[in-house]
């Protein structure tokens, strides 16, 4: 059973950097197998989900063009974790943040059906 768990601060001040970690169990993020793509998706309150980006088992990254200048996704293969960093946050970055696993690379995908596994989500509020 594959499990993903997001962790990170629930409150971030404007202009600071948001850092989240997704810890994966039951599958390796660095070995090509059933789940080769590890993604971040967010959903602001009252709005639809937004795809942030994805990292592959080989370490290749793909980002939402609208967030690319502020986003980086990295991985720690020893800990079987992948991380999200979002620079210079504003209140518009307030959202529920999810990590997810997929066997396919579909850029921009946000629907539940696209991903094989999801984390439970973590709420991040940007406020002073």
């Amino acid at each position: 059973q594959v499990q993903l768990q997001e962790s990170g601060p629930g409150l971030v001040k404007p202009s600071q950097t948001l850092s989240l970690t997704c810890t994966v169990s039951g599958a390796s993020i660095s070995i090509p197998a059933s789940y080769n793509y590890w993604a971040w998706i967010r959903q602001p309150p009252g709005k639809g989900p937004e795809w942030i980006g994805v990292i592959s088992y080989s370490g290749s990254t793909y980002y939402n063009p609208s967030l690319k200048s502020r986003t980086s996704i990295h991985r720690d293969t020893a800990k079987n974790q992948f991380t999200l960093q979002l620079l210079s946050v504003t209140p518009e970055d307030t959202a529920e943040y999810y990590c997810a696993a997929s066997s396919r690379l579909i850029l921009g995908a946000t629907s539940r059906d696209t991903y094989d596994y999801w984390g439970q989500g973590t709420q991040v509020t940007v406020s002073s």
Side-chain angles (χ1 to χ4, degrees), residues 68-98:
K68 185 176 182 178
S69 64
R70 300 194 292 129
T71 306
S72 61
I73 298 174
H74 298 280
R75 59 181 186 159
D76 184 333
T77 57
K79 296 181 179 180
N80 212 37
Q81 297 174 332
F82 62 106
T83 61
L84 168 68
Q85 285 194 322
L86 186 62
L87 307 177
S88 304
V89 296
T90 71
E92 285 66 43
D93 293 309
T94 294
E96 189 84 8
Y97 284 76
Y98 299 90

Side-chain angles (χ1 to χ4, degrees), residues 1-125:
Q1 178 74 10
V2 178
Q3 292 185 322
L4 294 86
Q5 179 66 59
E6 305 90 348
S7 59
L11 180 64
V12 183
K13 294 183 178 180
S15 80
Q16 291 187 340
T17 297
L18 165 65
S19 295
L20 296 176
T21 297
C22 183
T23 301
V24 179
S25 60
S28 171
I29 65 170
S30 58
I31 297 176
S34 298
Y35 316 106
N36 293 329
Y37 301 98
W38 307 90
W40 287 100
I41 299 105
R42 70 181 182 179
Q43 185 158 15
K47 298 183 180 180
E50 180 178 34
W51 184 77
I52 300 172
V54 64
I55 187 166
S56 75
Y57 72 93
S58 64
S60 298
T61 51
Y62 308 84
Y63 299 114
N64 183 329
S66 67
L67 297 171
K68 185 176 182 178
S69 64
R70 300 194 292 129
T71 306
S72 61
I73 298 174
H74 298 280
R75 59 181 186 159
D76 184 333
T77 57
K79 296 181 179 180
N80 212 37
Q81 297 174 332
F82 62 106
T83 61
L84 168 68
Q85 285 194 322
L86 186 62
L87 307 177
S88 304
V89 296
T90 71
E92 285 66 43
D93 293 309
T94 294
E96 189 84 8
Y97 284 76
Y98 299 90
C99 56
S102 176
S103 58
R104 301 172 292 168
L105 176 61
I106 303 178
L107 301 182
T110 58
S111 69
R112 285 270 166 179
D113 293 345
T114 302
Y115 298 92
D116 300 283
Y117 292 98
W118 289 75
Q120 65 182 20
T122 187
Q123 174 66 37
V124 176
T125 300

